[in-house]
Amino acid sequence: MKILQTEIYKICTRKILYLGLFAGLLFLGFYFWTGVLGGEYVYEDGICYRRMEAIEKNLEAAKNYEGPLTREKAEDIIDTFGWTEYADNLKTDPETGDTKKGYYENACNRFVTESLSTRRWGSEFPALVRAQDVPEISALMDGGLEYAYGDVWGSDFLEMHMMARLILAVLTVIAAAPVFSEEYALGTVNVLMTTEYGRGKNAVCKAGAVLGLTGILYLAVSGAFFALFAGVYGTEGLRASGELVFPDLYYMGASRGTAGGLLLRYLLAGFLANIGTGGITLFISSRCRQTFKSLLWSLFFYVLPLIMYSIILTMLGPSRTVILLRGIIGSLTLFMPMAELSSASAVFRWSEYGIVAVVTVFCVLKGCRRYSRYQIT
């Protein structure tokens, strides 16, 4: 326990981690204030409401339509509020944002207009999609799915959390890169052979400290994000069906249950991905004699799969080999948790998680073994 406490203390004394975390949270807070809250608006009888007032109006309007989504309910939303218009077509007051009297736009009729009507296909005069036109969209209004004001959980929350995961991954690399390589560089690694505990226990405690701290940090940041969005937008949207909160799912014919359950699985997958980043960095650290070199190689191996996944493999076009490579590479990158938001089968998703778990365990064990047997020459 004393060794573990010492290793935790060594990691926590690195000021760059505090600076990085503070800068990252400051950026995310600024983005939330300007990008998320700044993008909230509601029109009620031509009057424009923004930020918290708009959220309150959305919650109030959606409360009357919560529950099973039916065609009758969608028609009632349009009868009450009308169809939304494109922003370019709105003639608004530059100072107040108000537009013509009698115009309404909120989360309810915006959802029906953009997701359930022919507007998606460029129709000048929107109408609710019929079964003979697009059966998949029409089926959304058969009463089998739960509607609630939850679109923010499917767009803004995911976008901000993805940025947070990228920041946390970089902090994980910064925390793990010097763990083994720093002792090689300082020449203290051989001294530990003569101590009471030896290098073996030291290696295990070093790995445990890194993975434990980065895991706790991920859960803390994710919990803070969830509390922030729940406090501002409420939790009603988490009870909605995942297909209505994450539109891509119903186009791909995937069912994932409620939005809350889907987000929970998404967050847990992100936790596993972050632990995997720490494990791979420990492996690299055990094979580098300089801390800076370990840091560069760790960042390179984190960014390389992103480049291969989103650029190189995309240029090659679809094929079974490319799909397989995208699955393997994507399971070790920022994209891995996104499998929960895709049409991927349960077998594919669990295979990705299994790959991450196996790679993490392998890297940690090999890194500890390498450190325990290292000899300075």
Side-chain angles (χ1 to χ4, degrees), residues 36-44 47-58 90 92-99:
V36 179
L37 289 183
E40 294 290 349
Y41 68 92
V42 163
Y43 286 99
E44 190 172 282
I47 300 176
C48 182
Y49 297 91
R50 298 186 182 279
R51 294 184 177 275
M52 292 303 299
E53 285 185 321
I55 295 172
E56 292 173 2
K57 295 290 184 182
N58 277 329
L90 289 175
T92 59
D93 187 309
E95 294 184 1
T96 64
D98 297 345
T99 186

Side-chain angles (χ1 to χ4, degrees), residues 5 73 169 228:
Q5 292 175 346
K73 190 175 290 187
L228 175 63

Side-chain angles (χ1 to χ4, degrees), residues 22-35:
F22 175 76
L25 293 179
L26 188 65
F27 167 76
L28 292 172
F30 177 78
Y31 182 85
F32 179 79
W33 179 255
T34 59

Side-chain angles (χ1 to χ4, degrees), residues 218 264-274 336-337 340 353:
Y218 174 89
L264 177 60
R265 296 191 296 273
Y266 170 85
L267 293 175
L268 291 176
F271 173 81
L272 180 59
N274 198 62
M336 191 270 278
E340 288 292 342
Y353 306 151

